[in-house]
Amino acid sequence: MPPFDPLFWRAAGHLEQFLKTRAGDSHSVTLDRRSFQQLHVLTARLASVEQRDWQLSAKLVAQQLHAQLKTCECQITNALECLTPRNFSPAAPAAAEIYEELSALRQEFEVCEVNLREGTLSVVTESIVLEDIDLGPFRIVLNWKAGPDPALASPYLVQAISPCRPDGHSDITHPHVMRDRLCEGDATFALQQALRAGRLTDFFQIINQVLHTYNSGSPYARLGEWDGTACHACGAHISDDSSYCSGCEAQVCDDCSSCCPHCDTSACESCLQCCGHCDSMFCRECAEVCGECERVFCPNCLNPNDLCPECDHADESEELESNTDSPPEESGPCIAVQSAGVGQIAVSA
Amino acid sequence: MKILFINNDGAGFADHIEIADGTTVEQLFRKRVNQGSPADYLIRVNRQPASSDQVLQPGDRVSFTPTKIEGAGRI
């Protein structure tokens, strides 16, 4: 058992008062109206970009819609949980219990500090690395002198100790942290419950786990933006020497680009065309249009008369039919054998 | 016997639940968490890290916290 810490004991007294103001009715159901409205907006946007055949946009909007559906699903699940009768109603914890939480917190995090003057309890996370991007450690600061309306005001900050920011976003230090505020996402309700019950260890650990998780469907900034290069199609982080699309000149990752088999240039999926006959993919420069049906084909599938195999075949069939149905013409490419008398001129006597 | 069970996956409610004598942490996990592996959770018994074969005692306080919790950003 760790030795008694008088600073933590005094902090526990302050936190007891603070947590009393936050311990309320845990059965209140809250649904964020904006989240559900956003479902309609994204659904309409997806239909719109699909109608225009904007495949990249459709992919991105579908990801956003998926994330939004999950958010709403989470809210509904939590609302159902709120309405479930429970046999345990957390009361505001006493100072002794808070002191135990503080002691446990010190075991969970290497740095756990109390500042009585500022009214803060803070921990420092290990360095957060998401998809090989090192965002550095973060300080999570719970302020028990938070505003007069604690139900509305977020009582904590998430501060980057060695800020690593994406290009063009000076206020973002993590895909889910803007201006030192964490967008809690799926953790919203669990954080509220932990604070209401005075479970400070859970509270800080939940925030820590959110910082260790990347939700690509709904970030303030995509991880690919951290060193200035993100795949234009999927948003993944790519190196500076990744290929550029020959069609739209956007930089794309290997998964989102292909090489045209006819000219060897690289192009993104949106700029590649699919042959109407052999299904091969090729760049716009190599696209050939059938002179009859005006569909797009690869250079290998058009005949010298610029006809696709179908139209070429149709032409041949028509020709064959017309040759069998109608009498042979007197003039044409074939050599005609003249019948007796043809070509003679009658001369009057 | 009764324990206090806290599931930080989802709404994060705490409940007093009845479990059989001799129940281990892993058995409780299998019973209370529909999917996932214990490795994907921080498991604490009485605020201390616990092994999966730890046998629970009456009055224990058990918490499961997922290691992956998705935050959000723009709406």
Side-chain angles (χ1 to χ4, degrees), chain A residues 142-159:
Chain A
L142 175 65
N143 183 356
W144 65 71
K145 289 182 178 171
D149 189 353
L152 296 174
S154 174
Y156 70 96
L157 296 174
V158 177
Q159 302 166 329

Side-chain angles (χ1 to χ4, degrees), chain A residues 147-347:
Chain A
D149 189 353
L152 296 174
S154 174
Y156 70 96
L157 296 174
V158 177
Q159 302 166 329
I161 290 175
S162 315
C164 172
R165 300 184 174 95
D167 280 2
H169 298 284
S170 60
D171 51 356
I172 296 176
T173 51
H174 181 282
H176 307 299
V177 177
M178 183 189 271
R179 294 184 208 106
D180 296 339
R181 298 284 178 181
L182 176 73
C183 191
E184 297 163 350
D186 292 351
T188 306
F189 288 85
L191 283 171
Q192 285 173 5
Q193 288 303 319
L195 208 53
R196 273 183 184 142
R199 289 187 277 111
L200 296 173
T201 318
D202 286 350
F203 177 77
F204 282 98
Q205 272 298 8
I206 291 167
I207 295 171
N208 187 32
Q209 300 315 321
V210 175
L211 290 175
H212 276 87
T213 309
Y214 175 48
N215 174 9
S216 61
S218 181
Y220 284 124
R222 289 176 173 275
L223 278 176
E225 295 176 52
W226 250 259
D227 67 355
T229 314
C231 171
H232 183 72
C234 68
H237 168 247
I238 51 178
S239 60
D240 287 339
D241 56 356
S242 292
S243 58
Y244 284 85
C245 169
S246 60
C248 62
E249 298 183 349
Q251 206 168 1
V252 285
C253 70
D254 290 345
D255 289 342
C256 296
S257 66
S258 294
C259 208
C260 172
H262 303 285
C263 66
D264 284 340
T265 58
S266 180
C268 71
E269 286 177 355
S270 282
C271 291
L272 287 171
Q273 311 260 349
C274 180
C275 176
H277 180 66
C278 69
D279 289 337
S280 69
M281 302 297 284
F282 51 91
C283 73
R284 285 175 183 168
E285 291 297 314
C286 293
E288 302 274 359
V289 177
C290 171
E292 189 70 34
C293 65
E294 297 184 348
R295 287 189 299 152
V296 176
F297 293 88
C298 72
N300 292 346
C301 289
L302 287 192
N303 71 8
N305 297 325
D306 286 341
L307 291 180
C308 69
E310 277 179 38
C311 293
D312 190 31
H313 183 68
D315 259 17
E316 281 175 7
S317 301
E318 274 176 26
E319 200 175 307
L320 195 66
E321 276 175 24
S322 61
N323 284 345
T324 44
D325 291 349
S326 56
E329 289 175 10
E330 289 179 0
S331 62
C334 301
I335 298 168
V337 179
Q338 292 181 341
S339 57
V342 174
Q344 292 177 356
I345 301 169
V347 178

Side-chain angles (χ1 to χ4, degrees), chain A residues 2-159:
Chain A
F4 177 75
D5 186 327
L7 183 64
F8 271 23
W9 179 247
R10 287 176 67 191
H14 289 288
L15 283 162
E16 183 184 15
Q17 296 306 313
F18 165 71
L19 294 171
K20 266 182 192 166
T21 65
R22 302 194 73 85
D25 179 15
S26 61
H27 295 272
S28 58
V29 175
T30 50
L31 293 173
D32 179 17
R33 194 177 55 183
R34 281 192 313 158
S35 297
F36 288 86
Q37 285 172 339
Q38 190 64 11
L39 280 184
H40 295 289
V41 172
L42 287 171
T43 307
R45 193 178 297 163
L46 182 61
S48 172
V49 293
E50 281 182 340
Q51 197 176 11
R52 290 175 169 86
D53 201 24
W54 293 351
Q55 294 174 19
L56 284 181
S57 301
K59 194 175 168 185
L60 286 174
V61 176
Q63 279 180 354
Q64 290 172 355
L65 182 58
H66 182 265
Q68 199 59 32
L69 281 165
K70 278 188 69 181
T71 301
C72 292
E73 181 192 28
C74 180
Q75 288 190 34
I76 290 169
T77 305
N78 291 333
L80 287 168
E81 281 276 308
C82 287
L83 296 172
T84 304
R86 303 198 168 270
N87 57 13
F88 178 78
S89 178
E97 200 175 341
I98 295 168
Y99 180 84
E100 277 184 47
E101 286 286 331
L102 294 177
S103 299
L105 202 54
R106 190 151 51 183
Q107 292 174 47
E108 297 277 347
F109 295 91
E110 274 191 30
V111 179
C112 174
E113 295 170 332
V114 161
N115 186 323
L116 292 176
R117 192 172 166 185
E118 291 178 5
T120 59
L121 167 65
S122 61
V123 301
V124 175
T125 69
E126 59 189 10
S127 197
I128 305 287
V129 180
L130 298 175
E131 295 185 7
D132 294 334
I133 295 177
D134 191 347
L135 303 172
F138 284 77
R139 185 185 301 278
I140 307 167
V141 185
L142 175 65
N143 183 356
W144 65 71
K145 289 182 178 171
D149 189 353
L152 296 174
S154 174
Y156 70 96
L157 296 174
V158 177
Q159 302 166 329

